[in-house]
Amino acid sequence: MKNIAIVTGASSGIGKEFFLSLQDRAEGIDEIWVVARSEDKLRALASLTTPPVRVFALDLSRAESASALKKALEEEETSIKYLICASGFGRFQSVEADELSVLENMIDLNCRSILSVTKICAPYMQKGGAMILIASISAFQPVPYIATYAATKSFVLSYGRALNRELRKSRGARVLCVCPFWTKTAFFDRATTENEVVKKYAVMYEPSQIVKRAWKDLKKKNRDVSVCGAYSKGQALLVKLLPHKWVMSIWLKQQKLK
Ligand SMILES: NC(=O)c1ccc[n+]([C@@H]2O[C@H](COP(=O)([O-])OP(=O)(O)OC[C@H]3O[C@@H](n4cnc5c(N)ncnc54)[C@H](OP(=O)(O)O)[C@@H]3O)[C@@H](O)[C@H]2O)c1
């Protein structure tokens, strides 16, 4: 039986940081499977950890990509200790101004691929193992001009928390939904458009802070959501208490979008 960890979005940002953090948790992991589109970046990861790395250069927004993972899992006797789903992207743009194909692609990657990968991996999760799904602080609220992205992350949060209850019962495994606020990664290269939407970044975290918090939260038996930092926690709480009409108005005012 081969014990593995799988990281999607391992080529960059938060996913790469999770990949690197597995070095400290390498005991009991025979292989790390890494998934993203950039094959070169994935290959370069091999020298950074002790367990051997297996590269899956896949565009997860394509429905057929997940079946490559399914095939690989079926071919070997594998047991998954960690599944970390970090592939994703967002766009700062009004729904009207953005391309339909881009928004649909975002749903394919941020939602459908999370469903496919977690569903395919669920039967292989080992007792005490965990799925870590990267949602976003925007999962807690509707966000005009980042509307589709925030909605995709609400899906991840709702789906992940519910799946957590199912997997705990069926396999003794966990799901943790990680909800980062702004984090210094290549995310913004793809998110920003010619129309400046976000003018004020209230906070900016390092990927290492998000990942460190997530591993700490995973140690807490009943935790299914990980929010890093006092500012993020404060916002998540306020958003829970205030009517979402107000929350959206505050956001629009803050970003001078009114
Ligand atoms: N940075 C933030 O402020 C922030 C805040 C909240 C949540 N998040 C979430 O955190 C996660 C990681 O993002 P990041 O901030 O680390 O940004 P990033 O540095 O741009 O990383 C995104 C990762 O997703 C992969 N990816 C993109 N499109 C893909 C596709 N079609 N198929 C497979 N993999 C794909 C990228 O690899 P390739 O380009 O090689 O495919 C890359 O590894 C995302 O889900 C994002 O929504 C980010």
Side-chain angles (χ1 to χ4, degrees), residues 9 11-12 14 37-38 59-60 86-87 135 149 153 180 183 185 190:
S11 62
S12 164
I14 297 170
R37 293 167 304 171
S38 329
D59 179 346
L60 284 176
S87 283
Y149 176 73
K153 295 302 184 177
T183 308
T185 68
R190 204 166 169 190

Side-chain angles (χ1 to χ4, degrees), residues 198-249:
V198 187
K199 293 160 196 91
K200 188 179 171 213
Y201 293 93
V203 279
M204 187 61 77
Y205 292 97
E206 292 293 335
S208 57
Q209 292 175 281
I210 306 297
V211 170
K212 209 168 151 195
R213 180 75 255 166
W215 287 118
K216 269 192 189 158
D217 284 334
L218 196 62
K219 278 193 190 145
K220 296 179 182 146
K221 214 172 115 225
N222 291 318
R223 190 146 300 185
D224 56 3
V225 178
S226 173
V227 177
C228 173
Y231 192 96
S232 315
K233 284 183 181 145
Q235 170 154 322
L237 178 66
L238 263 184
V239 160
K240 232 181 246 177
L241 300 175
L242 293 177
H244 279 181
K245 256 199 266 184
W246 293 10
V247 170
M248 286 192 281
S249 295

Side-chain angles (χ1 to χ4, degrees), residues 8-16 35-39 41-42 58-62 65 85-90 92 105 109-110 113-114 134-138 149 152-153 178-190 204 207:
T8 81
S11 62
S12 164
I14 297 170
K16 184 172 181 183
V35 188
R37 293 167 304 171
S38 329
E39 188 168 357
K41 287 188 190 169
L42 293 179
L58 298 171
D59 179 346
L60 284 176
S61 68
R62 299 168 72 94
S65 291
C85 293
S87 283
F89 79 96
F92 304 157
N105 187 251
L109 181 64
N110 295 9
S113 86
I114 291 261
I134 315 304
S136 161
I137 197 79
S138 66
Y149 176 73
T152 66
K153 295 302 184 177
V178 176
C179 297
F181 213 128
W182 305 125
T183 308
K184 229 180 273 171
T185 68
F187 175 85
F188 301 96
D189 299 349
R190 204 166 169 190
M204 187 61 77

Side-chain angles (χ1 to χ4, degrees), residues 36-74:
R37 293 167 304 171
S38 329
E39 188 168 357
D40 292 351
K41 287 188 190 169
L42 293 179
R43 294 223 173 276
L45 296 175
S47 60
L48 304 177
T49 48
T50 317
V53 168
R54 179 163 174 191
V55 168
F56 291 82
L58 298 171
D59 179 346
L60 284 176
S61 68
R62 299 168 72 94
E64 63 273 21
S65 291
S67 45
L69 265 185
K70 186 170 188 267
K71 196 162 164 269
L73 286 166
E74 282 166 357

Side-chain angles (χ1 to χ4, degrees), residues 74-221:
E74 282 166 357
E75 275 167 6
E76 300 188 51
E77 241 186 273
T78 44
S79 169
I80 302 172
K81 187 165 185 191
Y82 299 119
L83 167 66
I84 297 155
C85 293
S87 283
F89 79 96
R91 289 272 288 182
F92 304 157
Q93 178 74 288
S94 72
V95 173
E96 253 187 277
D98 222 339
E99 297 279 336
L100 178 60
S101 58
V102 172
L103 300 178
E104 287 176 337
N105 187 251
M106 193 189 297
I107 290 176
D108 283 340
L109 181 64
N110 295 9
C111 301
R112 199 195 35 70
S113 86
I114 291 261
L115 166 70
S116 312
V117 171
T118 53
K119 163 98 178 112
I120 286 167
C121 291
Y124 298 90
M125 288 306 296
Q126 62 182 243
K127 195 167 183 227
M131 293 183 176
I132 299 176
L133 311 183
I134 315 304
S136 161
I137 197 79
S138 66
F140 298 112
Q141 64 185 84
V143 188
Y145 300 92
I146 314 183
T148 312
Y149 176 73
T152 66
K153 295 302 184 177
S154 296
F155 169 86
V156 176
L157 180 64
S158 172
Y159 170 75
R161 295 189 71 193
L163 182 63
N164 177 50
R165 300 301 282 260
E166 295 185 18
L167 284 192
R168 280 173 73 135
K169 188 159 185 265
S170 61
R171 318 211 152 259
R174 306 256 309 271
V175 181
L176 182 74
C177 299
V178 176
C179 297
F181 213 128
W182 305 125
T183 308
K184 229 180 273 171
T185 68
F187 175 85
F188 301 96
D189 299 349
R190 204 166 169 190
T192 47
T193 63
E194 67 285 0
N195 298 327
E196 198 191 11
V197 169
V198 187
K199 293 160 196 91
K200 188 179 171 213
Y201 293 93
V203 279
M204 187 61 77
Y205 292 97
E206 292 293 335
S208 57
Q209 292 175 281
I210 306 297
V211 170
K212 209 168 151 195
R213 180 75 255 166
W215 287 118
K216 269 192 189 158
D217 284 334
L218 196 62
K219 278 193 190 145
K220 296 179 182 146
K221 214 172 115 225

